[in-house]
Amino acid sequence: MWHADTMPRTHRSLPATLGRGLAAGALAGAAGLGYAAGVEVRWFALRREELPILPAGSRPLRVLHISDVHMTPTQRRKQAWLRSLAALEPDLVVSTGDHLAHRQAVPTVLDALDGLLDAPGVFVLGSNDYYAPTLRNPVRYLLPDDGRRNIHAPQLPWGSLLDGLTGRGWINLDNTRGALTIGGLRFAFAGVDDPHLGYDDLSAVAGPADPDADVRVAVSHAPYQRVLDAFARDGYDAIFAGHTHGGQLRLPGYGALVTNCDLDTRRASGLHRHPACSPPGAPGSTWLHVSAGMGASPYAPVRFCCRPEATLLTLTPRAAA
Ligand SMILES: [Fe+2]
């Protein structure tokens, strides 16, 4: 039998060490949650990328990609930041859906977008433009997509949002094509309504991208593989998408745990290619830009190692073949 004064140090301190470890773990968890909910979810970042998809000799063009704003009328800091992006004076704005998170948010979103709506723009809607957010088990945000959709919640006034955006000249690309001339270059667009809800109608936009266009861009809210495959096959130079929130809660040194769709977690956000390993110029290869988005559901207002963002992409000439 060990006496306290003769007990080996490892035995004597084990319960205390465990207790201290648990307490430290709980403290770190609480601190992390406090940081994710109190700091990072409002710590907006502008990410910059270069996207070489213009014809040789073209001057660079700047595209602002915004997504997953998830706006409520009281989110003043987010409104101010979104409003400030107009100072970038982009040549084109691409918005990949989930603008709303509240029944009264349409005027708020349109007001915050006011300066950007002076620029040419294209957009699609996301599931959170159609349906009000609801309280769900937060663990579900960390699990793979279970196929259940939030379609029994009250509808949001997405028609007013459409009217507000198209009334200022932005092109609605939900299951349709569009075209714009920007900086003297002809842009051909195609988009789908939200694949996460199964609203995408690929047959409506199927077929080769306009061969007479200088630049071909496809847009989707959720980057499901069937949509990316179709647009890559049809020859689009780049696909813009959102929905993933970049994983929303990322592990340092590991990255995103989920994408909330069938896209792999390595491409949860940022500039990649589709198919993932295809080199530039390979048949069926396209650029894929996934925005980590600006917001989060009001019922899961946390982001960790995944700052809310918008992206300014500078379009440059393609590399010589
Ligand atoms: Fe979203």
Side-chain angles (χ1 to χ4, degrees), residues 136-224:
R136 289 185 284 177
N137 183 347
V139 174
R140 285 186 54 194
Y141 288 93
L142 293 174
L143 296 176
D145 181 25
D146 64 2
R148 279 185 285 170
R149 302 290 177 259
N150 181 33
I151 57 173
H152 302 294
Q155 287 218 16
L156 293 176
W158 53 271
S160 299
L161 178 67
L162 285 183
D163 291 345
L165 298 176
T166 58
R168 294 288 297 276
W170 280 19
I171 298 175
N172 175 8
L173 291 174
D174 287 314
N175 294 331
T176 192
R177 295 183 175 211
L180 284 170
T181 298
I182 303 167
L185 298 178
R186 292 165 298 168
F187 278 66
F189 297 99
V192 286
D193 204 343
D194 188 10
H196 190 59
L197 292 174
Y199 287 2
D200 52 309
D201 180 2
L202 284 166
S203 66
V205 291
D210 184 353
D212 295 327
D214 296 304
V215 190
R216 292 158 285 269
V217 172
V219 181
S220 173
H221 173 62
Y224 277 83

Side-chain angles (χ1 to χ4, degrees), residues 6-315:
T6 59
M7 188 184 295
R9 184 173 179 78
T10 50
H11 286 209
R12 185 173 52 194
S13 60
L14 188 58
T17 302
L18 278 175
R20 280 198 298 272
L22 287 172
L27 202 62
L33 193 60
Y35 163 78
V39 178
E40 187 164 323
V41 77
R42 284 184 282 276
W43 189 18
F44 302 103
L46 181 69
R47 188 158 52 80
R48 295 174 188 266
E49 301 281 3
E50 185 175 321
L51 185 53
I53 60 172
L54 299 184
S58 305
R59 74 168 175 87
L61 295 174
R62 302 197 311 159
V63 178
L64 180 68
H65 184 185
I66 59 174
S67 195
D68 297 86
V69 175
H70 290 270
M71 188 70 84
T72 71
T74 57
Q75 292 174 330
R76 309 272 182 233
R77 188 187 295 244
K78 190 194 293 182
Q79 291 155 27
W81 193 72
L82 180 54
R83 194 174 292 113
S84 74
L85 296 176
L88 297 170
E89 298 185 345
D91 299 291
L92 170 70
V93 182
V94 176
S95 179
T96 46
D98 275 7
H99 307 80
L100 308 176
H102 191 280
R103 276 184 237 194
Q104 266 104 49
V106 171
T108 311
V109 168
L110 295 176
D111 181 63
L113 284 174
D114 185 50
L116 290 174
L117 286 166
D118 288 334
V122 296
F123 70 95
V124 289
L125 297 185
S127 56
N128 287 278
D129 293 312
Y130 291 110
Y131 297 101
T134 54
L135 180 61
R136 289 185 284 177
N137 183 347
V139 174
R140 285 186 54 194
Y141 288 93
L142 293 174
L143 296 176
D145 181 25
D146 64 2
R148 279 185 285 170
R149 302 290 177 259
N150 181 33
I151 57 173
H152 302 294
Q155 287 218 16
L156 293 176
W158 53 271
S160 299
L161 178 67
L162 285 183
D163 291 345
L165 298 176
T166 58
R168 294 288 297 276
W170 280 19
I171 298 175
N172 175 8
L173 291 174
D174 287 314
N175 294 331
T176 192
R177 295 183 175 211
L180 284 170
T181 298
I182 303 167
L185 298 178
R186 292 165 298 168
F187 278 66
F189 297 99
V192 286
D193 204 343
D194 188 10
H196 190 59
L197 292 174
Y199 287 2
D200 52 309
D201 180 2
L202 284 166
S203 66
V205 291
D210 184 353
D212 295 327
D214 296 304
V215 190
R216 292 158 285 269
V217 172
V219 181
S220 173
H221 173 62
Y224 277 83
Q225 301 269 0
R226 64 178 183 275
V227 175
L228 306 183
D229 290 346
F231 284 140
R233 199 169 47 236
D234 285 340
Y236 286 90
D237 299 305
I239 306 169
F240 288 74
H243 174 73
T244 64
H245 296 192
Q248 195 161 327
L249 304 171
R250 298 171 71 103
L251 290 184
Y254 181 83
L257 298 171
V258 293
T259 60
N260 202 18
C261 63
D262 63 2
L263 187 71
D264 53 277
T265 52
R266 287 174 293 115
R267 294 186 290 169
S269 67
L271 188 59
H272 301 276
R273 297 201 70 86
H274 189 81
C277 299
S278 59
S285 167
T286 185
W287 291 99
L288 170 65
H289 184 255
V290 180
S291 171
M294 289 178 55
S297 164
Y299 294 107
V302 290
R303 296 185 70 119
F304 190 76
C305 291
C306 188
R307 287 173 66 186
E309 67 172 20
T311 315
L312 189 66
L313 298 107
T314 301
L315 308 192

